[in-house]
Amino acid sequence: MIVFWIAVGVISAAVAGLILRRAARAAAAPQGADSTLPLYRRQLAEIDELADRGLIAADERRSAHAEAARRLLSAAEAAEAGWAPGRDRRRGLVLLAGAAPLAALALYLVIGSPGYGDQPQAQRLAQWRAMPPTQLDAPRMAAVLREVTKERPGDPEPYRFLSIAEMASGDAAAAARALREAIRLAPERADLWESLGEALMMQAEGEVTPQAAAAFQRALEQDPKAGAARFHLARGQIEAGEVEAGLAQWRALLADLPADDPRRPVLQAAIADVAQGPRPQTAPETAPQIGAPEIQAMVDGLAARLAAEPDDPEGWVRLVRSYAVLGDAASRDSALAVARARYAGDPQILSQLAQAAATEPMR
């Protein structure tokens, strides 16, 4: 704080000195001086010199001489008295120069926090990591997850959660970068490719760009039943004018969805909307914001889906890993027990489940 107040004092003194210096220059300026008067006098001398050398005729000399003399007289008559501050004005300037830093100091004491200690980034991160994830907003969650990715550079799951937090913070480009890192570690995961495609769409304000379409295609290569990839690729076809082909893809996707899938009403509404034909364009809907509570909701949604459709070994591995990352040991152990009982005869899946359960919590 001592350094701060010294800096404030030096800056205030410098500002006051500049004000007084400008005032002194204005006071020392010649009274009634006009910068154009020397110019007109020089013009008169040049006209006389040109005439004496025979470069202009007598009539031209008289005409130019008269015009220059007229301008000289006009400028002389229009000259105003210079500024000459009296004692009271000089005192007012000094008071003004001193009052400016005092007013700034008073304002800082009223609305600032002069007694508030410094908060280094490392200290704030430590505080956020000690808090339950559901109590963090999206920017703080993203900051914590960036540190987690540094500590666990070989684990794609923190990068996936980071992409969700970055998207919720409104930074689709950062979300895409996080997903690319996750894909570098786990290129066989269709869900990561789907999320990357959606992040690229967000960057393009909802448009299915060629880059997004390529990501969705990679998702389908890993999982031909990837619902989000199929949906967006079909929407890209519709937007490109291939309406019937896109609708056919949507109807095929609808037929593949279970009867109790919560996505069915959304897809049915989209099919009906496109089938009705073009309508006046409206403003695009704002993308939903996803924060820490929504992350928990996504994990709960995965758990609910596995309860209804338990034959999904990759889903069980993801669920166990998600609970481990969130620090929910009870839910992790419960999901792990169910998955181990279901895949007791598959050593490969059991090994993946054990690795997922050993994932360190992000805080």
Side-chain angles (χ1 to χ4, degrees), residues 2-236:
I2 294 177
V3 175
F4 171 76
W5 291 118
I6 292 175
V8 169
V10 171
I11 294 173
S12 300
V15 172
L18 288 174
I19 294 174
L20 294 176
R21 183 181 179 187
R22 295 288 295 180
R25 284 185 177 180
Q31 303 299 312
D34 190 329
S35 60
T36 61
L37 294 178
L39 174 63
Y40 294 141
R41 293 193 182 98
R42 188 167 58 252
Q43 286 182 344
L44 287 171
E46 290 174 353
I47 292 171
D48 292 337
E49 181 182 356
L50 291 174
D52 292 341
R53 295 168 57 185
L55 297 178
I56 60 174
D59 293 342
E60 293 178 1
R61 174 184 180 180
R62 284 193 296 271
S63 175
H65 202 281
E67 179 62 22
R70 184 187 63 77
R71 293 179 179 178
L72 177 61
L73 291 174
S74 177
E77 291 175 356
E80 297 179 354
W83 180 65
R87 182 180 300 275
D88 293 339
R89 289 186 177 182
R90 287 196 294 269
R91 184 181 296 112
L93 285 173
V94 174
L95 292 176
L96 179 61
L102 291 176
L105 174 60
L107 184 63
Y108 174 67
L109 292 174
V110 172
I111 66 175
S113 300
Y116 200 71
D118 293 338
Q119 277 198 311
Q121 179 70 4
Q123 179 182 344
R124 283 181 287 175
L125 281 172
Q127 293 176 352
W128 297 340
R129 295 186 71 166
M131 298 170 59
T134 54
Q135 294 182 9
L136 298 175
D137 59 11
R140 290 187 177 90
M141 174 72 78
V144 169
L145 287 168
R146 290 189 203 103
E147 294 300 310
V148 176
T149 59
K150 295 176 183 177
E151 298 168 1
R152 290 151 52 184
D155 187 353
E157 206 63 18
Y159 286 105
R160 182 175 73 87
F161 281 116
L162 174 59
S163 71
I164 297 173
E166 296 284 20
M167 189 71 73
S169 301
D171 194 344
R177 288 194 297 270
L179 285 165
R180 288 191 176 96
E181 285 297 318
I183 289 171
R184 180 181 62 82
L185 298 170
E188 74 287 350
R189 286 182 54 176
D191 63 310
L192 297 178
W193 285 107
E194 284 184 310
S195 297
L196 176 59
E198 291 174 340
L200 294 173
M201 284 177 53
M202 288 293 295
Q203 282 187 265
E205 299 182 352
E207 179 184 355
V208 184
T209 62
Q211 294 80 5
F216 292 134
Q217 290 289 356
R218 291 295 300 272
L220 290 178
E221 291 175 8
Q222 304 301 324
D223 179 9
K225 294 184 178 181
R230 295 171 63 185
F231 175 83
H232 291 301
L233 285 173
R235 190 166 72 85

